[in-house]
C-alpha cells in the first residue's frame, strides 16, 4: 500500500482527496459507492499500476478525507459529475477509463454522456448500464407544454440528462423504475410509439454468481482480470 500516494486538490470550492498510483500513459479513475471510500479500490489500484496503468481513486465530496459541502441537502449526481470534470482538468488528463460501482456508476455514466470525448471506456461493478429513458420521459412530460420534435429529430433528445427531475419524482423513484425495467427491458415498451435508441452498443455484462455487492473486494483477482481484459482490448483499439 506504500506505493499509493495521497493528495488534495481544489475543485469547485472543496478540497477533494485523491489516492493515486502508477505512471502509465493510460489513466483509470475509480469511483466508489456506499458505504465506501477510495480504499475500496486498493486491490484494483495495485493491479492496474502493475499492469502499466495510472490509477486514481477520489473520495467523493462528503466522503472519507474530502471536504463536505455546506448544503448536503442540495447535493446531486451532477455535482459528482462536475467534480469529476474538475479532477481530470486539474490533473491535465485528456481521456480516462472510468471504473465505478453502486451509486458511483451514475456519475460515471452521466460523465460519459456529457463528455464523450474525455472517456475511453466505462466499467461498472454491480450496476449495468440503463438508458436514461425514464428520467427523460418524466422530466419532459411533467412540463405544462408538451415538447414537439422537429422532422428527423428524436423527441428524447429534447431533454438533456443534466435537467433535474420534477419535484414530486425523486431519485429513489427513478431507481425503483430502473430496477423494475431490468427484467422486461424497453424493447417491447418502445415498439409503439417510440423508436429504440442504442446508447451503449458495445456494452458487455458479465455475471459472477458467487459475488456480492462488494465483488471487487471479495474476488479481487477475478475482477482485476476482467478489468484488465477490457482495458487492454479497448486501449489497443483506441491506439490503432
Amino acid at each position: 500500500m506504500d506505493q499509493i500516494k495521497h493528495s488534495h486538490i481544489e475543485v469547485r470550492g472543496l478540497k477533494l482527496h485523491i489516492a493515486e498510483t502508477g505512471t502509465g500513459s493510460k489513466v483509470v479513475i475509480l469511483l466508489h459507492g456506499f458505504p465506501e471510500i477510495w480504499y475500496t479500490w486498493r486491490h484494483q489500484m495495485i493491479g492496474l499500476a502493475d499492469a502499466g496503468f495510472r490509477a486514481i481513486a477520489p473520495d467523493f465530496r462528503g466522503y472519507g478525507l474530502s471536504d463536505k459541502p455546506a448544503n448536503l441537502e442540495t447535493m446531486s449526481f451532477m455535482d459528482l459529475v462536475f467534480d469529476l470534470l474538475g479532477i481530470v482538468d486539474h490533473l491535465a488528463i485528456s481521456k480516462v477509463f472510468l471504473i465505478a460501482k453502486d451509486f458511483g456508476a451514475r456519475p460515471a455514466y452521466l460523465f460519459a454522456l456529457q463528455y464523450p470525448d474525455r472517456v475511453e471506456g466505462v466499467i461498472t461493478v454491480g450496476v449495468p448500464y440503463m438508458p436514461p429513458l425514464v428520467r427523460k420521459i418524466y422530466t419532459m412530460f411533467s412540463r405544462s407544454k408538451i415538447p414537439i420534435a422537429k422532422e428527423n429529430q428524436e423527441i428524447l433528445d429534447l431533454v438533456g440528462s443534466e435537467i433535474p427531475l420534477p419535484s414530486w419524482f425523486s431519485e429513489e423513484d427513478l431507481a425503483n423504475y430502473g430496477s423494475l425495467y431490468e427484467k422486461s427491458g424497453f424493447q417491447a415498451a418502445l415498439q409503439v410509439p417510440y423508436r429504440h435508441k442504442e446508447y451503449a452498443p458495445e456494452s458487455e455484462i458479465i455475471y459472477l454468481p458467487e459475488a456480492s455487492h462488494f465483488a471487487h473486494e471479495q474476488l479481487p483477482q477475478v475482477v482485476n482480470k476482467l478489468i484488465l481484459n477490457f482495458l487492454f482490448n479497448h486501449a489497443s483499439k483506441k491506439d490503432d
Side-chain angles (χ1 to χ4, degrees):
M1 297 295 290
D2 291 341
Q3 65 204 81
I4 297 179
K5 306 303 179 184
H6 300 268
S7 63
H8 282 82
I9 61 176
E10 186 87 17
V11 176
R12 303 176 63 226
L14 298 176
K15 288 184 179 179
L16 300 183
H17 167 256
I18 62 170
E20 181 174 358
T21 187
T23 57
S25 60
K26 293 293 184 181
V27 183
V28 181
I29 294 183
L30 303 102
L31 305 176
H32 64 79
F34 179 84
E36 301 148 339
I37 56 173
W38 76 269
Y39 187 78
T40 192
W41 295 114
R42 61 198 181 281
H43 303 300
Q44 286 69 47
M45 293 181 72
I46 300 298
L48 288 166
D50 290 344
F53 291 88
R54 180 183 176 190
I56 299 169
D59 284 336
F60 280 127
R61 53 171 55 204
Y63 279 77
L65 299 177
S66 288
D67 283 352
K68 181 173 65 175
N71 298 317
L72 282 172
E73 63 276 6
T74 64
M75 192 171 75
S76 72
F77 280 109
M78 289 311 297
D79 283 306
L80 306 184
V81 172
F82 295 139
D83 286 350
L84 180 55
L85 179 64
I87 291 171
V88 296
D89 284 346
H90 182 93
L91 299 176
I93 300 169
S94 59
K95 279 195 172 185
V96 298
F97 284 100
L98 298 175
I99 301 178
K101 74 170 295 284
D102 191 39
F103 79 82
R106 179 67 63 81
Y109 290 140
L110 290 174
F111 186 88
L113 289 170
Q114 293 289 111
Y115 309 102
D117 58 325
R118 306 295 296 272
V119 179
E120 293 205 62
V122 179
I123 297 173
T124 60
V125 179
V127 183
Y129 177 78
M130 293 197 68
L133 291 174
V134 173
R135 170 181 286 274
K136 288 192 172 186
I137 288 170
Y138 268 87
T139 302
M140 180 167 51
F141 290 103
S142 64
R143 299 171 177 174
S144 57
K145 259 189 180 179
I146 301 297
I148 299 174
K150 298 178 182 178
E151 188 176 355
N152 299 322
Q153 184 182 28
E154 294 281 356
I155 191 168
L156 292 180
D157 291 337
L158 299 177
V159 182
S161 300
E162 75 283 358
I163 297 177
L165 291 166
S167 59
W168 47 266
F169 191 76
S170 68
E171 292 285 348
E172 183 180 358
D173 296 328
L174 180 65
N176 285 328
Y177 269 98
S179 65
L180 293 171
Y181 268 111
E182 283 181 1
K183 180 179 184 296
S184 64
F186 286 102
Q187 186 174 3
L190 292 176
Q191 288 300 315
V192 180
Y194 304 109
R195 294 204 306 270
H196 181 58
K197 189 168 186 178
E198 292 291 343
Y199 287 90
E202 298 182 43
S203 63
E204 179 183 3
I205 297 176
I206 298 172
Y207 177 55
L208 301 177
E210 67 276 28
S212 69
H213 178 69
F214 303 100
H216 59 301
E217 294 185 273
Q218 180 186 0
L219 304 170
Q221 293 182 336
V222 174
V223 172
N224 285 3
K225 183 178 179 181
L226 292 171
I227 287 173
L228 291 174
N229 285 343
F230 177 91
L231 295 178
F232 283 126
N233 287 339
H234 286 266
S236 61
K237 287 180 182 179
K238 298 291 181 182
D239 292 338
D240 289 342

